Amino acid sequence: MIRQAASQLLLAGAVLLAPQGLRAQHGADSVSFNRAIRSYTLTMAHLTELKQAGINIQNYAKSHRDEAQKWTDASDNGDGTIDDQVRRIDAISPFRQAIASTGLSTRDYLLTTITFFQASMADGLQDSYAKTKQKAPVLPGNVNPANVTFIHVHKAEIEKLKLGELVNSSGG
């Protein structure tokens, strides 16, 4: 019972942490979305770029409060696919540039964000089960086990990036 609840919590958490526009996937879009995040591979370079992109976006939004709502509207729109989300963000030049200046494409920015949170949650769940000497539940089908291993192996480096500070300072 506990394992089933934990597995459901992991899946729910991964869905809740994804940007709004990526949660509303249905049917073929959902299959495409799941395939995209399952096949995406995290790297330290992408996480470093993700951190800088977040800083760039926050800095721009702070100095251009009148345009900050555009970011919220583009990233929280509940319709469409990953490609639709990319098009909405790319349509706002300052935000596209804030991401691109780091070396990430907007698509990589979105996929890195989702897979990072998803793999971090899965790693945390596996750690908690290991501490109690219980077998962790099977990962949901859209979670790439290599990304969970990556998070586990690079935990100290990732903690130094302080990616959580971006989430906390942005009100997310």
Side-chain angles (χ1 to χ4, degrees):
M1 175 102 162
I2 291 174
R3 287 184 186 152
Q4 182 181 8
S7 181
Q8 290 172 345
L9 179 63
L10 172 64
L11 179 60
V15 169
L16 289 173
L17 288 172
Q20 287 272 1
L22 299 178
R23 285 189 236 152
Q25 308 286 325
H26 298 289
D29 289 345
S30 178
V31 171
S32 172
F33 169 78
N34 288 330
R35 189 176 302 126
I37 62 173
R38 172 130 177 118
S39 64
Y40 194 76
T41 303
L42 290 173
T43 67
M44 282 308 299
H46 279 170
L47 291 179
T48 301
E49 293 162 342
L50 176 68
K51 169 75 180 227
Q52 188 59 54
I55 291 168
N56 294 349
I57 290 165
Q58 284 181 353
N59 288 341
Y60 182 81
K62 284 178 187 174
S63 62
H64 298 85
R65 295 212 181 266
D66 55 322
E67 294 190 35
Q69 187 61 41
K70 290 179 183 178
W71 173 257
T72 302
D73 293 344
S75 61
D76 286 348
N77 186 315
D79 297 325
T81 65
I82 291 174
D83 292 333
D84 294 333
Q85 182 96 12
V86 167
R87 280 189 289 278
R88 279 193 298 275
I89 292 171
D90 281 349
I92 307 166
S93 181
F95 295 118
R96 182 188 68 244
Q97 291 171 358
I99 295 168
S101 69
T102 68
L104 280 177
S105 68
T106 303
R107 183 179 183 82
D108 281 339
Y109 171 83
L110 292 169
L111 290 172
T112 299
T113 301
I114 294 164
T115 56
F116 169 70
F117 283 116
Q118 184 188 61
S120 295
M121 290 173 43
D123 178 61
L125 182 65
Q126 288 179 346
D127 283 352
S128 69
Y129 271 85
K131 287 177 185 171
T132 61
K133 297 183 182 0
Q134 295 181 50
K135 182 180 176 187
V138 174
L139 294 172
N142 64 354
V143 177
N144 182 337
N147 287 332
V148 179
T149 300
F150 172 85
I151 294 292
H152 191 77
V153 169
H154 296 279
K155 198 169 286 191
E157 292 169 84
I158 292 168
E159 286 176 8
K160 287 180 186 176
L161 283 177
K162 298 182 180 181
L163 290 168
E165 290 179 3
L166 284 177
V167 173
N168 294 333
S169 67
S170 68

mmCIF file of all heavy atoms in Angstrom, residues 78-118:
data_model
loop_
_atom_site.group_PDB
_atom_site.id
_atom_site.type_symbol
_atom_site.label_atom_id
_atom_site.label_comp_id
_atom_site.label_asym_id
_atom_site.label_seq_id
_atom_site.Cartn_x
_atom_site.Cartn_y
_atom_site.Cartn_z
ATOM 1 N N GLY A 78 -2.152 26.312 -20.833
ATOM 2 C CA GLY A 78 -2.472 24.899 -20.687
ATOM 3 C C GLY A 78 -2.778 24.158 -21.964
ATOM 4 O O GLY A 78 -3.245 23.034 -21.918
ATOM 5 N N ASP A 79 -2.542 24.748 -23.107
ATOM 6 C CA ASP A 79 -2.894 24.116 -24.369
ATOM 7 C C ASP A 79 -1.659 23.725 -25.163
ATOM 8 O O ASP A 79 -0.667 24.428 -25.149
ATOM 9 C CB ASP A 79 -3.717 25.080 -25.235
ATOM 10 C CG ASP A 79 -5.037 25.447 -24.581
ATOM 11 O OD1 ASP A 79 -5.617 24.584 -23.911
ATOM 12 O OD2 ASP A 79 -5.462 26.606 -24.734
ATOM 13 N N GLY A 80 -1.758 22.617 -25.860
ATOM 14 C CA GLY A 80 -0.747 22.287 -26.852
ATOM 15 C C GLY A 80 0.307 21.300 -26.429
ATOM 16 O O GLY A 80 0.249 20.683 -25.376
ATOM 17 N N THR A 81 1.279 21.189 -27.295
ATOM 18 C CA THR A 81 2.368 20.235 -27.165
ATOM 19 C C THR A 81 3.639 20.950 -26.719
ATOM 20 O O THR A 81 3.648 22.169 -26.542
ATOM 21 C CB THR A 81 2.633 19.582 -28.525
ATOM 22 O OG1 THR A 81 3.105 20.602 -29.421
ATOM 23 C CG2 THR A 81 1.382 18.912 -29.096
ATOM 24 N N ILE A 82 4.709 20.191 -26.594
ATOM 25 C CA ILE A 82 6.006 20.801 -26.290
ATOM 26 C C ILE A 82 6.353 21.809 -27.383
ATOM 27 O O ILE A 82 6.805 22.920 -27.100
ATOM 28 C CB ILE A 82 7.116 19.727 -26.179
ATOM 29 C CG1 ILE A 82 6.899 18.887 -24.928
ATOM 30 C CG2 ILE A 82 8.498 20.371 -26.157
ATOM 31 C CD1 ILE A 82 7.837 17.712 -24.795
ATOM 32 N N ASP A 83 6.111 21.437 -28.629
ATOM 33 C CA ASP A 83 6.419 22.346 -29.735
ATOM 34 C C ASP A 83 5.590 23.624 -29.651
ATOM 35 O O ASP A 83 6.088 24.710 -29.952
ATOM 36 C CB ASP A 83 6.221 21.659 -31.079
ATOM 37 C CG ASP A 83 7.242 20.563 -31.319
ATOM 38 O OD1 ASP A 83 8.358 20.653 -30.753
ATOM 39 O OD2 ASP A 83 6.936 19.615 -32.064
ATOM 40 N N ASP A 84 4.322 23.509 -29.221
ATOM 41 C CA ASP A 84 3.489 24.703 -29.039
ATOM 42 C C ASP A 84 4.071 25.597 -27.947
ATOM 43 O O ASP A 84 4.118 26.816 -28.086
ATOM 44 C CB ASP A 84 2.055 24.321 -28.665
ATOM 45 C CG ASP A 84 1.327 23.594 -29.775
ATOM 46 O OD1 ASP A 84 1.661 23.803 -30.962
ATOM 47 O OD2 ASP A 84 0.425 22.794 -29.451
ATOM 48 N N GLN A 85 4.509 24.980 -26.866
ATOM 49 C CA GLN A 85 5.111 25.725 -25.762
ATOM 50 C C GLN A 85 6.383 26.439 -26.238
ATOM 51 O O GLN A 85 6.603 27.603 -25.924
ATOM 52 C CB GLN A 85 5.444 24.763 -24.625
ATOM 53 C CG GLN A 85 6.028 25.411 -23.407
ATOM 54 C CD GLN A 85 5.004 25.708 -22.352
ATOM 55 O OE1 GLN A 85 3.880 25.242 -22.435
ATOM 56 N NE2 GLN A 85 5.381 26.475 -21.378
ATOM 57 N N VAL A 86 7.189 25.750 -26.998
ATOM 58 C CA VAL A 86 8.419 26.347 -27.535
ATOM 59 C C VAL A 86 8.065 27.556 -28.398
ATOM 60 O O VAL A 86 8.672 28.624 -28.263
ATOM 61 C CB VAL A 86 9.232 25.305 -28.349
ATOM 62 C CG1 VAL A 86 10.327 25.967 -29.169
ATOM 63 C CG2 VAL A 86 9.807 24.251 -27.419
ATOM 64 N N ARG A 87 7.068 27.405 -29.278
ATOM 65 C CA ARG A 87 6.671 28.517 -30.149
ATOM 66 C C ARG A 87 6.180 29.717 -29.339
ATOM 67 O O ARG A 87 6.506 30.861 -29.670
ATOM 68 C CB ARG A 87 5.594 28.066 -31.139
ATOM 69 C CG ARG A 87 6.148 27.317 -32.340
ATOM 70 C CD ARG A 87 5.086 27.077 -33.404
ATOM 71 N NE ARG A 87 4.099 26.083 -33.010
ATOM 72 C CZ ARG A 87 4.270 24.771 -33.097
ATOM 73 N NH1 ARG A 87 5.403 24.291 -33.556
ATOM 74 N NH2 ARG A 87 3.322 23.948 -32.722
ATOM 75 N N ARG A 88 5.414 29.468 -28.275
ATOM 76 C CA ARG A 88 4.908 30.581 -27.448
ATOM 77 C C ARG A 88 6.055 31.335 -26.780
ATOM 78 O O ARG A 88 6.059 32.560 -26.734
ATOM 79 C CB ARG A 88 3.928 30.065 -26.394
ATOM 80 C CG ARG A 88 2.530 29.835 -26.920
ATOM 81 C CD ARG A 88 1.531 29.632 -25.796
ATOM 82 N NE ARG A 88 1.813 28.469 -24.980
ATOM 83 C CZ ARG A 88 1.419 27.232 -25.261
ATOM 84 N NH1 ARG A 88 0.724 26.989 -26.365
ATOM 85 N NH2 ARG A 88 1.702 26.238 -24.462
ATOM 86 N N ILE A 89 7.011 30.597 -26.245
ATOM 87 C CA ILE A 89 8.148 31.255 -25.578
ATOM 88 C C ILE A 89 9.029 31.945 -26.616
ATOM 89 O O ILE A 89 9.445 33.090 -26.425
ATOM 90 C CB ILE A 89 8.942 30.247 -24.728
ATOM 91 C CG1 ILE A 89 8.092 29.793 -23.531
ATOM 92 C CG2 ILE A 89 10.259 30.853 -24.256
ATOM 93 C CD1 ILE A 89 8.672 28.647 -22.734
ATOM 94 N N ASP A 90 9.297 31.278 -27.720
ATOM 95 C CA ASP A 90 10.159 31.860 -28.754
ATOM 96 C C ASP A 90 9.548 33.111 -29.377
ATOM 97 O O ASP A 90 10.272 33.948 -29.921
ATOM 98 C CB ASP A 90 10.473 30.840 -29.847
ATOM 99 C CG ASP A 90 11.571 29.866 -29.437
ATOM 100 O OD1 ASP A 90 12.235 30.099 -28.403
ATOM 101 O OD2 ASP A 90 11.763 28.871 -30.165
ATOM 102 N N ALA A 91 8.243 33.250 -29.302
ATOM 103 C CA ALA A 91 7.580 34.431 -29.859
ATOM 104 C C ALA A 91 7.880 35.690 -29.042
ATOM 105 O O ALA A 91 7.638 36.803 -29.512
ATOM 106 C CB ALA A 91 6.071 34.200 -29.933
ATOM 107 N N ILE A 92 8.413 35.534 -27.854
ATOM 108 C CA ILE A 92 8.741 36.678 -26.993
ATOM 109 C C ILE A 92 10.259 36.811 -26.994
ATOM 110 O O ILE A 92 10.973 36.155 -26.233
ATOM 111 C CB ILE A 92 8.194 36.473 -25.570
ATOM 112 C CG1 ILE A 92 6.702 36.142 -25.620
ATOM 113 C CG2 ILE A 92 8.443 37.722 -24.727
ATOM 114 C CD1 ILE A 92 6.157 35.606 -24.308
ATOM 115 N N SER A 93 10.745 37.651 -27.874
ATOM 116 C CA SER A 93 12.173 37.752 -28.151
ATOM 117 C C SER A 93 13.070 37.860 -26.910
ATOM 118 O O SER A 93 14.067 37.142 -26.825
ATOM 119 C CB SER A 93 12.420 38.929 -29.093
ATOM 120 O OG SER A 93 13.778 39.031 -29.402
ATOM 121 N N PRO A 94 12.779 38.717 -25.935
ATOM 122 C CA PRO A 94 13.688 38.820 -24.789
ATOM 123 C C PRO A 94 13.817 37.513 -24.000
ATOM 124 O O PRO A 94 14.897 37.194 -23.504
ATOM 125 C CB PRO A 94 13.064 39.911 -23.910
ATOM 126 C CG PRO A 94 12.170 40.683 -24.813
ATOM 127 C CD PRO A 94 11.705 39.714 -25.858
ATOM 128 N N PHE A 95 12.746 36.763 -23.916
ATOM 129 C CA PHE A 95 12.813 35.507 -23.178
ATOM 130 C C PHE A 95 13.518 34.432 -23.997
ATOM 131 O O PHE A 95 14.293 33.646 -23.462
ATOM 132 C CB PHE A 95 11.416 35.065 -22.739
ATOM 133 C CG PHE A 95 10.815 36.019 -21.746
ATOM 134 C CD1 PHE A 95 9.656 36.703 -22.034
ATOM 135 C CD2 PHE A 95 11.431 36.261 -20.525
ATOM 136 C CE1 PHE A 95 9.107 37.596 -21.131
ATOM 137 C CE2 PHE A 95 10.897 37.145 -19.612
ATOM 138 C CZ PHE A 95 9.727 37.828 -19.919
ATOM 139 N N ARG A 96 13.261 34.419 -25.304
ATOM 140 C CA ARG A 96 13.989 33.488 -26.182
ATOM 141 C C ARG A 96 15.487 33.773 -26.093
ATOM 142 O O ARG A 96 16.298 32.861 -25.965
ATOM 143 C CB ARG A 96 13.500 33.620 -27.626
ATOM 144 C CG ARG A 96 14.186 32.633 -28.570
ATOM 145 C CD ARG A 96 13.856 32.865 -30.030
ATOM 146 N NE ARG A 96 14.438 34.115 -30.492
ATOM 147 C CZ ARG A 96 13.750 35.176 -30.911
ATOM 148 N NH1 ARG A 96 12.448 35.137 -30.955
ATOM 149 N NH2 ARG A 96 14.371 36.272 -31.305
ATOM 150 N N GLN A 97 15.848 35.051 -26.119
ATOM 151 C CA GLN A 97 17.259 35.432 -26.034
ATOM 152 C C GLN A 97 17.859 35.099 -24.672
ATOM 153 O O GLN A 97 19.030 34.707 -24.590
ATOM 154 C CB GLN A 97 17.420 36.918 -26.347
ATOM 155 C CG GLN A 97 17.147 37.237 -27.795
ATOM 156 C CD GLN A 97 17.087 38.737 -28.074
ATOM 157 O OE1 GLN A 97 17.209 39.552 -27.186
ATOM 158 N NE2 GLN A 97 16.883 39.075 -29.341
ATOM 159 N N ALA A 98 17.065 35.243 -23.605
ATOM 160 C CA ALA A 98 17.555 34.916 -22.260
ATOM 161 C C ALA A 98 17.936 33.442 -22.166
ATOM 162 O O ALA A 98 18.902 33.083 -21.491
ATOM 163 C CB ALA A 98 16.484 35.250 -21.209
ATOM 164 N N ILE A 99 17.200 32.609 -22.865
ATOM 165 C CA ILE A 99 17.496 31.174 -22.884
ATOM 166 C C ILE A 99 18.641 30.888 -23.858
ATOM 167 O O ILE A 99 19.619 30.233 -23.512
ATOM 168 C CB ILE A 99 16.232 30.368 -23.252
ATOM 169 C CG1 ILE A 99 15.172 30.519 -22.153
ATOM 170 C CG2 ILE A 99 16.581 28.898 -23.490
ATOM 171 C CD1 ILE A 99 13.789 30.020 -22.542
ATOM 172 N N ALA A 100 18.520 31.400 -25.079
ATOM 173 C CA ALA A 100 19.503 31.100 -26.134
ATOM 174 C C ALA A 100 20.906 31.583 -25.774
ATOM 175 O O ALA A 100 21.892 30.952 -26.156
ATOM 176 C CB ALA A 100 19.055 31.718 -27.456
ATOM 177 N N SER A 101 21.007 32.671 -25.015
ATOM 178 C CA SER A 101 22.331 33.207 -24.670
ATOM 179 C C SER A 101 23.134 32.241 -23.804
ATOM 180 O O SER A 101 24.346 32.364 -23.700
ATOM 181 C CB SER A 101 22.194 34.551 -23.946
ATOM 182 O OG SER A 101 21.625 34.370 -22.662
ATOM 183 N N THR A 102 22.476 31.246 -23.239
ATOM 184 C CA THR A 102 23.164 30.257 -22.409
ATOM 185 C C THR A 102 23.662 29.068 -23.222
ATOM 186 O O THR A 102 24.422 28.259 -22.717
ATOM 187 C CB THR A 102 22.231 29.712 -21.308
ATOM 188 O OG1 THR A 102 21.198 28.921 -21.912
ATOM 189 C CG2 THR A 102 21.627 30.834 -20.484
ATOM 190 N N GLY A 103 23.179 28.945 -24.454
ATOM 191 C CA GLY A 103 23.532 27.799 -25.283
ATOM 192 C C GLY A 103 22.416 26.778 -25.379
ATOM 193 O O GLY A 103 22.507 25.827 -26.153
ATOM 194 N N LEU A 104 21.355 26.963 -24.588
ATOM 195 C CA LEU A 104 20.210 26.051 -24.648
ATOM 196 C C LEU A 104 19.226 26.522 -25.705
ATOM 197 O O LEU A 104 19.022 27.728 -25.867
ATOM 198 C CB LEU A 104 19.457 26.037 -23.318
ATOM 199 C CG LEU A 104 19.966 25.210 -22.164
ATOM 200 C CD1 LEU A 104 19.086 25.421 -20.939
ATOM 201 C CD2 LEU A 104 20.043 23.743 -22.510
ATOM 202 N N SER A 105 18.607 25.576 -26.371
ATOM 203 C CA SER A 105 17.442 25.915 -27.190
ATOM 204 C C SER A 105 16.252 25.996 -26.239
ATOM 205 O O SER A 105 16.315 25.493 -25.105
ATOM 206 C CB SER A 105 17.195 24.836 -28.250
ATOM 207 O OG SER A 105 16.769 23.630 -27.623
ATOM 208 N N THR A 106 15.180 26.600 -26.673
ATOM 209 C CA THR A 106 13.987 26.664 -25.827
ATOM 210 C C THR A 106 13.469 25.254 -25.545
ATOM 211 O O THR A 106 13.052 24.947 -24.426
ATOM 212 C CB THR A 106 12.898 27.530 -26.491
ATOM 213 O OG1 THR A 106 13.453 28.821 -26.746
ATOM 214 C CG2 THR A 106 11.678 27.665 -25.601
ATOM 215 N N ARG A 107 13.524 24.393 -26.520
ATOM 216 C CA ARG A 107 13.083 23.000 -26.326
ATOM 217 C C ARG A 107 13.942 22.320 -25.261
ATOM 218 O O ARG A 107 13.419 21.661 -24.370
ATOM 219 C CB ARG A 107 13.151 22.245 -27.646
ATOM 220 C CG ARG A 107 12.643 20.817 -27.547
ATOM 221 C CD ARG A 107 12.706 20.129 -28.921
ATOM 222 N NE ARG A 107 12.161 18.803 -28.846
ATOM 223 C CZ ARG A 107 10.873 18.492 -28.891
ATOM 224 N NH1 ARG A 107 9.971 19.438 -29.029
ATOM 225 N NH2 ARG A 107 10.473 17.242 -28.810
ATOM 226 N N ASP A 108 15.275 22.496 -25.351
ATOM 227 C CA ASP A 108 16.155 21.899 -24.339
ATOM 228 C C ASP A 108 15.891 22.507 -22.962
ATOM 229 O O ASP A 108 15.972 21.818 -21.951
ATOM 230 C CB ASP A 108 17.620 22.074 -24.717
ATOM 231 C CG ASP A 108 18.081 21.075 -25.759
ATOM 232 O OD1 ASP A 108 17.438 20.021 -25.915
ATOM 233 O OD2 ASP A 108 19.089 21.353 -26.426
ATOM 234 N N TYR A 109 15.599 23.801 -22.924
ATOM 235 C CA TYR A 109 15.268 24.454 -21.652
ATOM 236 C C TYR A 109 14.062 23.762 -21.014
ATOM 237 O O TYR A 109 14.087 23.415 -19.833
ATOM 238 C CB TYR A 109 14.980 25.947 -21.892
ATOM 239 C CG TYR A 109 14.416 26.657 -20.700
ATOM 240 C CD1 TYR A 109 15.244 27.144 -19.699
ATOM 241 C CD2 TYR A 109 13.041 26.830 -20.560
ATOM 242 C CE1 TYR A 109 14.724 27.795 -18.585
ATOM 243 C CE2 TYR A 109 12.512 27.476 -19.466
ATOM 244 C CZ TYR A 109 13.352 27.958 -18.477
ATOM 245 O OH TYR A 109 12.824 28.585 -17.379
ATOM 246 N N LEU A 110 13.003 23.561 -21.786
ATOM 247 C CA LEU A 110 11.796 22.914 -21.258
ATOM 248 C C LEU A 110 12.071 21.466 -20.854
ATOM 249 O O LEU A 110 11.682 21.034 -19.763
ATOM 250 C CB LEU A 110 10.673 22.970 -22.296
ATOM 251 C CG LEU A 110 10.107 24.351 -22.581
ATOM 252 C CD1 LEU A 110 9.200 24.315 -23.803
ATOM 253 C CD2 LEU A 110 9.363 24.889 -21.371
ATOM 254 N N LEU A 111 12.729 20.718 -21.734
ATOM 255 C CA LEU A 111 12.989 19.308 -21.434
ATOM 256 C C LEU A 111 13.962 19.140 -20.268
ATOM 257 O O LEU A 111 13.797 18.222 -19.451
ATOM 258 C CB LEU A 111 13.490 18.581 -22.677
ATOM 259 C CG LEU A 111 12.438 18.383 -23.772
ATOM 260 C CD1 LEU A 111 13.075 17.841 -25.045
ATOM 261 C CD2 LEU A 111 11.314 17.484 -23.296
ATOM 262 N N THR A 112 14.959 20.005 -20.166
ATOM 263 C CA THR A 112 15.889 19.934 -19.038
ATOM 264 C C THR A 112 15.139 20.209 -17.738
ATOM 265 O O THR A 112 15.339 19.506 -16.733
ATOM 266 C CB THR A 112 17.055 20.933 -19.205
ATOM 267 O OG1 THR A 112 17.776 20.602 -20.395
ATOM 268 C CG2 THR A 112 18.015 20.866 -18.024
ATOM 269 N N THR A 113 14.274 21.212 -17.744
ATOM 270 C CA THR A 113 13.496 21.539 -16.547
ATOM 271 C C THR A 113 12.659 20.351 -16.097
ATOM 272 O O THR A 113 12.702 19.942 -14.940
ATOM 273 C CB THR A 113 12.582 22.757 -16.817
ATOM 274 O OG1 THR A 113 13.391 23.872 -17.193
ATOM 275 C CG2 THR A 113 11.759 23.102 -15.596
ATOM 276 N N ILE A 114 11.920 19.789 -17.024
ATOM 277 C CA ILE A 114 11.016 18.678 -16.684
ATOM 278 C C ILE A 114 11.806 17.452 -16.225
ATOM 279 O O ILE A 114 11.513 16.871 -15.182
ATOM 280 C CB ILE A 114 10.140 18.311 -17.899
ATOM 281 C CG1 ILE A 114 9.206 19.474 -18.227
ATOM 282 C CG2 ILE A 114 9.336 17.035 -17.625
ATOM 283 C CD1 ILE A 114 8.593 19.366 -19.606
ATOM 284 N N THR A 115 12.800 17.048 -17.011
ATOM 285 C CA THR A 115 13.526 15.823 -16.660
ATOM 286 C C THR A 115 14.342 15.999 -15.387
ATOM 287 O O THR A 115 14.494 15.047 -14.617
ATOM 288 C CB THR A 115 14.419 15.333 -17.813
ATOM 289 O OG1 THR A 115 15.307 16.369 -18.203
ATOM 290 C CG2 THR A 115 13.592 14.892 -19.002
ATOM 291 N N PHE A 116 14.843 17.205 -15.136
ATOM 292 C CA PHE A 116 15.581 17.452 -13.898
ATOM 293 C C PHE A 116 14.680 17.248 -12.681
ATOM 294 O O PHE A 116 15.027 16.514 -11.753
ATOM 295 C CB PHE A 116 16.187 18.859 -13.876
ATOM 296 C CG PHE A 116 16.711 19.240 -12.522
ATOM 297 C CD1 PHE A 116 17.841 18.625 -12.003
ATOM 298 C CD2 PHE A 116 16.052 20.180 -11.745
ATOM 299 C CE1 PHE A 116 18.316 18.947 -10.731
ATOM 300 C CE2 PHE A 116 16.517 20.517 -10.491
ATOM 301 C CZ PHE A 116 17.649 19.904 -9.985
ATOM 302 N N PHE A 117 13.530 17.894 -12.670
ATOM 303 C CA PHE A 117 12.636 17.752 -11.521
ATOM 304 C C PHE A 117 12.134 16.321 -11.391
ATOM 305 O O PHE A 117 12.084 15.763 -10.293
ATOM 306 C CB PHE A 117 11.461 18.734 -11.607
ATOM 307 C CG PHE A 117 11.845 20.124 -11.226
ATOM 308 C CD1 PHE A 117 11.776 21.146 -12.147
ATOM 309 C CD2 PHE A 117 12.285 20.427 -9.943
ATOM 310 C CE1 PHE A 117 12.137 22.442 -11.810
ATOM 311 C CE2 PHE A 117 12.647 21.715 -9.597
ATOM 312 C CZ PHE A 117 12.569 22.727 -10.529
ATOM 313 N N GLN A 118 11.801 15.723 -12.502
ATOM 314 C CA GLN A 118 11.294 14.355 -12.503
ATOM 315 C C GLN A 118 12.345 13.387 -11.956
ATOM 316 O O GLN A 118 12.058 12.575 -11.065
ATOM 317 C CB GLN A 118 10.902 14.002 -13.938
ATOM 318 C CG GLN A 118 10.279 12.655 -14.119
ATOM 319 C CD GLN A 118 10.129 12.357 -15.598
ATOM 320 O OE1 GLN A 118 11.128 12.314 -16.322
ATOM 321 N NE2 GLN A 118 8.908 12.165 -16.039
#
